[in-house]
Amino acid sequence: MRILLLGGTWFLGRAIAKDALARGWRVTTFTRGRSGTGVPGTEPVRGDRTSPGDLRKLAGAGPWDAVIDTSSSDLPPRDVLLATSALRDRTDRWVHISTVSVYAGWPHEPLTEDSARLECPPDADATFGYTGPDGSPTEYGFQKAGGERAVTEVFGERSVILRPGVILGPGEYVGRLPWWLGRAHRGGQMLAPAPAERRIQPVDVRDVARFALDQAAGEGGGAFNVAHPEGISFSDFVTACLEVTGGAGRPVWAAPEQLVRHGVTQWTELPMWRTHSGVWSVDSAKAVAAGLRCRPVRETITDTWSWLQADGRPVAHPRWARHGIDPEKEQKILSDLGADAVS
């Protein structure tokens, strides 16, 4: 099996490259060479995927049995269309990493693959779309929906669309789980979002990688929600962070209305917390039936802490700085909560 990774040097792309090599596959990566380092054993091609000339050069390095695109998250649909058009005759299948943000009802409603999606043309530029006043829908969601259309317009039934929610694990560059681990390790009273029993559905990067490769080697096409089918309660998540890091922290659970009243920014200041009822109601049964297997979230937490302790250094990314509440703000909220907080 010979595959092309658009990306392949950090987080999901790197996990895919490692897994593919372990399967004995030949792996070509296409990157600009500006962030991350290639996985030993891959065959790198340098270039800019937004350049028609570079894509023509890349096409000459083919053909491939499948392309897996992990590098379109910050690109407008027209650039996805450019790549799919340039490579349509150089591969049999296209596996595209998208997001649950393409759904019109996210994060307000439970989601299946049949849920309505945002409308965006496949040749849209970076100005298409908007972000709603409550943070949904998002311009990002519109752009990714257009990217999906760009893929299916060119590859049709030869395309596979994967729609993950939150991906965690070793190599994470966003900073969600690393922040919780660092906060747990620091100890003391720590602000936590009630209800403690609410389940979340983060999926391990290595499980997404394995599923993407299985789909690349499979037959047929379609779209799959990629979320942990069992998930983990926020209470068990925080407890695992404390136990894994050896932290002496004590979570103080604050109700959603308390956090909102104190101006805690949802999704980032307390990573993965959001009040919307559908944010963690993503049905992944179709993916599970197609072979998605998710390790326990605690294993992801343990392995991420081990990676960080071994001087794990993610690729520098601006999203890292957006995650986590300022210690002074956290302490003020804890003090203001007083007897209203639940330990």
Side-chain angles (χ1 to χ4, degrees):
M1 184 84 175
R2 189 181 184 203
I3 65 167
L4 167 65
L5 286 181
L6 300 183
T9 59
W10 46 294
F11 201 38
L12 178 56
R14 193 173 185 83
I16 292 173
K18 287 182 176 180
D19 193 330
L21 290 171
R23 298 177 186 215
W25 296 4
R26 288 184 62 187
V27 181
T28 303
T29 60
F30 183 61
T31 70
R32 293 175 300 176
R34 297 178 183 175
S35 59
T37 57
V39 175
T42 59
E43 303 168 7
V45 177
R46 294 282 182 258
D48 186 339
R49 61 175 293 168
T50 67
S51 164
D54 286 357
L55 287 171
R56 284 193 295 271
K57 180 182 73 172
L58 172 63
W64 300 275
D65 298 300
V67 173
I68 304 178
D69 186 358
T70 69
S71 68
S72 67
S73 61
D74 296 324
L75 295 178
R78 68 180 182 185
D79 286 333
V80 178
L81 185 62
L82 182 68
T84 54
S85 299
L87 299 172
R88 75 164 78 214
D89 297 325
R90 307 301 286 164
T91 185
D92 295 329
R93 292 171 67 74
W94 190 284
V95 178
H96 187 73
I97 309 301
S98 186
T99 169
V100 293
S101 295
V102 300
Y103 290 112
W106 191 87
H108 301 280
E109 304 167 2
L111 299 175
T112 72
E113 288 83 359
D114 294 327
S115 299
R117 284 170 287 149
L118 298 170
E119 293 292 334
C120 179
D123 58 351
D125 64 19
T127 66
F128 191 93
Y130 64 91
T131 297
D134 71 339
S136 63
T138 62
E139 182 178 315
Y140 171 72
F142 280 103
Q143 294 279 310
K144 292 294 282 184
E148 287 190 7
R149 285 195 58 191
V151 172
T152 56
E153 182 171 285
V154 175
F155 279 88
E157 294 182 354
R158 295 187 294 144
S159 61
V160 178
I161 308 294
L162 304 187
R163 297 175 183 145
V166 169
I167 304 176
L168 304 178
E172 184 196 337
Y173 65 90
V174 176
R176 295 184 177 106
L177 179 52
W179 183 83
W180 278 108
L181 287 165
R183 179 63 192 88
H185 183 61
R186 194 169 83 234
Q189 284 193 330
M190 54 185 291
L191 193 62
E197 66 274 10
R198 187 179 190 186
R199 300 193 76 77
I200 59 177
Q201 297 177 279
V203 62
D204 192 288
V205 64
R206 296 162 293 184
D207 297 331
V208 180
R210 182 173 61 246
F211 187 61
L213 289 169
D214 290 345
Q215 290 302 309
E219 298 179 353
F224 298 91
N225 293 334
V226 184
H228 203 295
E230 290 88 31
I232 188 172
S233 71
F234 229 115
S235 175
D236 287 345
F237 175 84
V238 172
T239 297
C241 288
L242 288 165
E243 292 177 351
V244 164
T245 63
R250 180 168 65 87
V252 177
W253 298 92
E257 58 270 18
Q258 294 172 317
L259 296 173
V260 170
R261 187 171 67 247
H262 284 86
V264 177
T265 303
Q266 297 188 42
W267 207 237
T268 53
E269 284 195 295
L270 289 179
M272 298 188 288
W273 166 69
R274 202 164 184 174
T275 58
H276 304 78
S277 60
V279 67
W280 296 115
S281 297
V282 179
D283 185 349
S284 59
K286 181 180 176 184
V288 170
L292 174 67
R293 297 293 179 266
C294 292
R295 70 198 68 204
V297 178
R298 186 184 178 98
E299 182 178 331
T300 303
I301 294 169
T302 300
D303 291 349
T304 302
W305 180 244
S306 296
W307 165 70
L308 289 168
Q309 291 301 102
D311 199 28
R313 295 181 182 273
V315 172
H317 197 282
R319 292 178 70 183
W320 186 282
R322 299 175 195 163
H323 288 85
I325 189 169
D326 179 80
E328 291 186 8
K329 180 176 181 178
E330 180 188 27
Q331 187 55 53
K332 183 179 186 305
I333 294 172
L334 289 168
S335 298
D336 289 347
L337 290 175
D340 292 332
V342 178
S343 299

